[in-house]
Amino acid sequence: SVPATTTTNTAAPSTTSPVATPSTTTSAAPAVPVVTSVTVLTERSGLGHLIGPDMYEATSWGKAGVIFRWRALTADGELWKETCQVVSTVTGPGGYVYNDRSAACSGRMRANELVLGTPGVYTVTTEVVGPEGLSTAVGTKTFEIFPDSTP
């Protein structure tokens, strides 16, 4: 007969360090700001006089200088990035048209000023297409140019 043998398995001591399983965390992409509204503002520039809210009187040379600014607003406040598409148009008496383009979500017209000599009501319309084209908002502001009133 064959003698019975007993076998004992003893685990050999570990010769490697434990391996850490890499953790993967996925963070959400930053939210793209959504432009909810646009505010347009005007202010006096070099020529003329401010005579009331959005009312400008020409100098004795018959000209008034005006600039405009816009502010793109989101749920978190004003958006100060250059990731928008902005088109502003100023229209006024006598077929006056001025166009301006910018990437600044909030900013000012690129020209130094609008030098206006025809009295009447002017309208600034600014359309802001938000970052990645996901939102669009339009703001308008009217202002008025008055002739020089000095005798």
Side-chain angles (χ1 to χ4, degrees):
S1 102
V2 176
T5 58
T6 307
T7 308
T8 308
N9 286 336
T10 308
S14 174
T15 59
T16 59
S17 302
V19 176
T21 306
S23 64
T24 55
T25 53
T26 20
S27 59
V32 175
V34 174
V35 176
T36 57
S37 65
V38 175
T39 301
V40 179
L41 309 149
T42 67
E43 56 189 72
R44 184 187 73 81
S45 189
L47 298 171
H49 311 282
L50 177 66
I51 58 172
D54 301 304
M55 300 165 66
Y56 306 94
E57 182 179 70
T59 64
S60 56
W61 297 297
K63 304 284 183 191
V66 177
I67 66 169
F68 64 88
R69 300 179 186 279
W70 63 91
R71 294 184 174 145
L73 303 174
T74 70
D76 295 326
E78 191 167 352
L79 184 57
W80 284 102
K81 295 186 175 192
E82 289 196 348
T83 55
C84 292
Q85 297 171 33
V86 180
V87 177
S88 297
T89 303
V90 181
T91 57
Y96 178 86
V97 176
Y98 171 84
N99 292 302
D100 191 77
R101 290 182 171 273
S102 179
C105 300
S106 295
R108 75 176 297 269
M109 60 184 282
R110 290 182 301 149
N112 287 338
E113 64 184 350
L114 302 173
V115 178
L116 305 169
T118 304
V121 175
Y122 293 76
T123 302
V124 181
T125 303
T126 299
E127 178 183 62
V128 177
V129 177
E132 298 187 26
L134 298 178
S135 58
T136 300
V138 176
T140 60
K141 173 63 95 177
T142 58
F143 64 94
E144 192 165 359
I145 301 295
F146 292 86
D148 177 31
S149 64
T150 56

